[in-house]
Amino acid sequence: MFDIDKVDRIVEMFIFDIYIAILKIKKTASKFDNVQDLLFSYTDWDSVIREFEIIGEASRYLLRDKKIDKIHRVVVDFRNIIIHEYFGIEPSEVWDVVYSDLDNYKNVIIDLINDIEPDLKIELIDSFIEDNLYLDFVVEKLKNLR
């Protein structure tokens, strides 16, 4: 059985995972004017759903380490709905989260990034830039966090 306490990663890495996943969702969703168009582009829809899974899973670690308030448990709950009720996902709810809630959570994550010890923050930014060199929009945003 999976044990959240035995993951060999520092919690600050999960913060960056969330930040990058949010950037990817916003970039992908920005190509569409409505949820139906996004839904009918199955690769884009699947990409958005996968990034929400990453956000929810990484947020579990932030909750565990008390990096975020319990109010953000809703992020993990949303991930659980996506994972376990995938045929019951209401596309309009996903769209609403993208355009109504995601920016607020991104601000929480940016605050966490800004609270990381400066040397570690630079080291992580450089590492995530290297891992995402093929995504210019991610690299640009990461550089701006320095």
Side-chain angles (χ1 to χ4, degrees):
M1 182 164 182
F2 177 74
D3 185 350
I4 192 171
D5 293 319
K6 293 188 178 179
V7 172
D8 190 23
R9 252 180 137 217
I10 60 172
V11 71
E12 289 82 2
M13 293 180 84
F14 293 108
I15 295 169
F16 280 96
D17 290 337
I18 294 167
Y19 181 69
I20 292 168
I22 291 171
L23 295 176
K24 288 178 179 179
I25 289 170
K26 297 297 273 185
K27 177 76 168 179
T28 301
S30 73
K31 299 187 294 186
F32 302 94
D33 294 326
N34 59 66
V35 68
Q36 283 307 117
D37 290 344
L38 173 58
L39 182 63
F40 292 156
S41 174
Y42 71 90
T43 56
D44 291 307
W45 175 258
D46 288 354
S47 171
V48 167
I49 295 303
R50 173 67 179 142
E51 297 305 325
F52 272 121
E53 292 170 359
I54 291 168
I55 291 169
E57 187 65 20
S59 294
R60 288 178 56 212
Y61 294 93
L62 302 187
L63 283 167
R64 178 199 67 186
D65 288 3
K66 297 178 174 54
K67 295 286 187 186
I68 55 175
D69 295 329
K70 289 182 183 179
I71 192 169
H72 297 295
R73 171 74 198 173
V74 68
V75 176
V76 176
D77 294 342
F78 187 65
R79 174 256 180 213
N80 291 341
I81 290 169
I82 288 172
I83 293 288
H84 300 294
E85 299 179 30
Y86 50 91
F87 289 122
I89 297 171
E90 182 57 47
S92 62
E93 287 180 30
V94 173
W95 186 261
D96 288 344
V97 170
V98 170
Y99 286 101
S100 298
D101 302 322
L102 210 50
D103 284 333
N104 291 331
Y105 197 51
K106 182 171 105 176
N107 291 334
V108 169
I109 297 304
I110 290 171
D111 287 345
L112 291 174
I113 290 170
N114 289 332
D115 287 342
I116 296 172
E117 186 273 320
D119 289 339
L120 176 59
K121 177 180 165 184
I122 295 300
E123 180 182 335
L124 289 170
I125 288 171
D126 289 346
S127 175
F128 278 94
I129 285 173
E130 186 175 323
D131 290 346
N132 290 279
L133 283 175
Y134 62 99
L135 298 171
D136 293 340
F137 68 99
V138 171
V139 170
E140 177 185 335
K141 294 290 187 177
L142 287 169
K143 286 180 178 178
N144 290 339
L145 290 174
R146 287 187 176 145

